[in-house]
Amino acid sequence: MLSQTVVKRLKEIVGEKNVVTDKVGLLTYGYDGTLLSGEALGVVSPTTTDQVVEIVKLMNEHNIKLVPRGAGTNESGGTIPSQEAVVISFTKMTKIHEIDTENFVAVVEPGVINFDLQVELEKKKFYFPPDPSSFKASTIGGNVGECSGGPKCFKYGVTRDYILGLEVVLPNGKVIQTGGRNFQSEPGYDLTRIIVGSEGILGLVTKVFVRIIPMPRAKKTMLAIYDKVEDASQTVADIVAAGIIPTTLELMDNLLINTTEDFTHAGIPRDAGAVLIIEVDGYPEDMDGQVKTIGEIAGKIAKEFKVAQSAVEVDQIWTSRRSAFGSVARVRPSYGVNDITVPRSNFPSAIGGVLKVAKDFGVTIGVVAHAGDGNLHPLILFDQRNKEETETVHKAEQALCMMALDLEGTISGEHGIGLVKKKYLDKEFTPAAMGAFRKVKRSFDPTNRFNPGKIIDL
């Protein structure tokens, strides 16, 4: 419990309405996109960098730890207060300070929702490519913390590729700026890239300089339908081998097709084993040739290939994909999201590995994937109230991680490490590398006050 002295001072810093200490109010800050939970000592919502500095100094004076939080959509337990700590919520730092189309940069606060930024950029015919499925809720600060990806990451890259600079409050209360607004590299150590994806364990981001790009002149959306998920995975490999880089190359298996159809009624055949959502963009004169080549490759295996003919049809297709995670609640009350990624050439093998894990452990797994990146999200469906079933799911999750490593992949492509994947990290990295990670953490945060217990243990 926070002392009245600390609570009073927090209210002086941010205002009474921006401090939460009652049990009911704290409840929602103990959850994220996982099935984990925790309990915060309190929640404080700053609106300026100066307030963040004062909060950090106050917490240091009273030896209290801080857990940063955006919208809480992360899938790794990164925002769960797993130790006694105050949650610092950035959802009220929502200013878009500037959109500079001449220099291809926008300056925003961490609480700006990805979708809201996209709406403002669209007015100027620009956009910010990283668009995770949670983009209508997730914040830019959260995207930075997790180094989020999204459907467009095959062609355009992930969040780290679009961050030019950051304003960061360090654990000692000092403010630094990394990078800058008009260049993509910085002299000396690249602190921007060290902080992006660090899940708030090194510093608190209070301003983000994001790289924006002009909207493409044209795009085409295609749907390829298959009898088997293995067939769809082979088309992914064939498209990549042909040197074609679609904007998106998304896969859903039969289970996800049916759960999303219940909600969207997009007209995807329910008996299909899998579908690929393929999109290309660029100049209008390039579209027909790309669509023709992709159609020829997909047509060798797919039982049906079609090109969306209207904006409504495109929206239906993408609504299906973006609702995939939530839709599985129609089958089982709980699901575990995995985020394994393998080299694209090994994507068919990874699909086979997922099917083997489902069979070996007797679990139901739905597969949705950023297939162009080799990034799979196997969703293991279960009932958390059944302890035996839950234990089996955890074993299956470990098997999926080990399978990805065997295929020269990674245990986490875009969802971070947090609490969920921390126990597997030393399977991917050598003891020397793990030691280097700990030294970086200690150099920024020697007393382990920022988001303690996440990613690594000191």
Side-chain angles (χ1 to χ4, degrees):
M1 180 180 293
L2 292 177
S3 70
Q4 289 303 306
T5 300
V6 171
V7 173
K8 179 182 178 183
R9 179 63 185 131
L10 285 174
K11 290 179 178 179
E12 290 173 352
I13 295 171
V14 300
E16 186 170 351
K17 65 180 181 179
N18 291 326
V19 178
V20 177
T21 56
D22 65 286
K23 195 172 184 64
V24 174
L26 295 176
L27 186 63
T28 55
Y29 294 91
Y31 294 86
D32 62 4
T34 67
L35 296 173
L36 302 174
S37 64
E39 186 173 342
L41 295 175
V43 179
V44 58
S45 301
T47 56
T48 68
T49 301
D50 288 342
Q51 289 180 358
V52 175
V53 170
E54 290 302 310
I55 291 166
V56 170
K57 289 180 178 179
L58 177 65
M59 297 298 101
N60 286 346
E61 289 173 11
H62 293 270
N63 194 27
I64 300 171
K65 299 178 179 182
L66 279 170
V67 174
R69 181 182 176 94
T73 58
N74 74 93
E75 301 282 357
S76 61
T79 56
I80 297 294
S82 58
Q83 300 181 19
E84 286 197 347
V86 166
V87 169
I88 180 167
S89 169
F90 287 94
T91 54
K92 294 190 177 181
M93 294 186 70
T94 58
K95 293 187 181 67
I96 299 175
H97 289 288
E98 183 181 3
I99 295 176
D100 179 355
T101 56
E102 183 177 358
N103 291 300
F104 288 19
V105 62
V107 185
V108 305
E109 291 183 340
V112 173
I113 293 172
N114 186 302
F115 178 76
D116 292 343
L117 175 60
Q118 306 288 9
V119 169
E120 293 305 311
L121 291 175
E122 188 175 357
K123 295 175 183 177
K124 300 177 182 293
K125 300 189 183 305
F126 273 70
Y127 75 115
F128 175 59
D131 61 340
S133 295
S134 59
F135 81 130
K136 288 193 174 181
S138 65
T139 63
I140 297 298
N143 296 164
V144 169
E146 300 289 333
C147 192
S148 300
K152 296 186 181 73
C153 56
F154 178 33
K155 181 175 181 177
Y156 289 108
V158 295
T159 299
R160 71 163 59 89
D161 301 308
Y162 292 87
I163 304 302
L164 299 173
L166 299 167
E167 180 183 82
V168 182
V169 179
L170 298 175
N172 61 9
K174 294 183 178 180
V175 181
I176 63 169
Q177 181 173 316
T178 71
R181 54 179 295 142
N182 294 327
F183 46 87
Q184 289 182 238
S185 63
E186 53 188 294
Y189 295 117
D190 192 343
L191 294 180
T192 302
R193 281 186 168 244
I194 289 176
I195 291 169
V196 174
S198 65
E199 302 184 38
I201 72 171
L202 304 180
L204 305 177
V205 173
T206 52
K207 190 178 291 183
V208 187
F209 299 84
V210 302
R211 181 164 70 96
I212 58 176
I213 62 176
M215 296 181 68
R217 301 285 182 87
K219 67 179 181 180
K220 288 285 186 179
T221 304
M222 296 152 272
L223 192 68
I225 301 167
Y226 299 84
D227 288 323
K228 297 186 298 182
V229 69
E230 297 95 323
D231 292 343
S233 70
Q234 187 57 53
T235 291
V236 171
D238 292 345
I239 288 174
V240 174
I244 300 172
I245 305 178
T247 314
T248 59
L249 197 50
E250 299 285 293
L251 179 147
M252 293 194 301
D253 71 357
N254 177 264
L255 189 152
L256 273 302
I257 290 169
N258 279 277
T259 57
T260 57
E261 271 298 297
D262 289 342
F263 171 63
T264 63
H265 308 292
I268 300 174
R270 288 180 178 270
D271 61 348
V275 296
L276 283 178
I277 302 169
I278 309 166
E279 194 165 271
V280 294
D281 65 17
Y283 291 97
E285 53 268 27
D286 296 333
M287 293 297 98
D288 290 343
Q290 291 188 60
V291 170
K292 180 181 178 182
T293 302
I294 291 171
E296 290 172 350
I297 293 171
K300 294 176 182 178
I301 307 175
K303 67 176 185 178
E304 185 179 351
F305 177 83
K306 59 182 181 179
V307 181
Q309 299 300 313
S310 67
V312 172
E313 193 174 354
V314 171
D315 286 344
Q316 283 182 322
I317 291 171
W318 279 110
T319 299
S320 292
R321 169 58 186 90
R322 293 191 183 279
S323 64
F325 283 19
S327 71
V328 296
R330 295 170 178 269
V331 180
R332 299 299 301 277
S334 312
Y335 67 88
V337 180
N338 293 273
D339 181 34
I340 53 176
T341 303
V342 300
R344 285 184 286 269
S345 57
N346 287 338
F347 186 75
S349 297
I351 288 292
V354 171
L355 298 177
K356 184 177 185 301
V357 168
K359 181 179 178 181
D360 289 349
F361 290 89
V363 293
T364 300
I365 300 181
V367 180
V368 61
H370 304 312
D373 267 14
N375 187 346
L376 297 95
H377 298 319
L379 307 180
I380 308 180
L381 311 188
F382 67 109
D383 187 340
Q384 190 184 23
R385 295 167 295 188
N386 185 321
K387 291 184 179 180
E388 183 178 348
E389 191 175 354
T390 302
E391 289 175 4
T392 300
V393 167
H394 290 325
K395 292 176 182 177
E397 289 175 333
Q398 182 176 3
L400 288 170
C401 288
M402 297 307 104
M403 179 268 292
L405 295 180
D406 288 343
L407 293 174
E408 300 179 306
T410 177
I411 61 175
S412 181
E414 61 174 346
H415 289 172
I417 298 298
L419 294 171
V420 172
K421 296 291 182 70
K422 184 173 71 171
K423 57 193 172 191
Y424 307 133
L425 199 60
D426 63 355
K427 304 295 183 183
E428 181 169 343
F429 295 99
T430 65
M434 293 297 295
F437 294 160
R438 292 186 177 94
K439 287 180 180 178
V440 171
K441 166 66 172 174
R442 290 191 185 101
S443 69
F444 277 83
D445 186 14
T447 55
N448 196 24
R449 294 189 186 281
F450 278 14
N451 216 6
K454 310 300 167 54
I455 305 181
I456 51 175
D457 289 320
L458 296 183

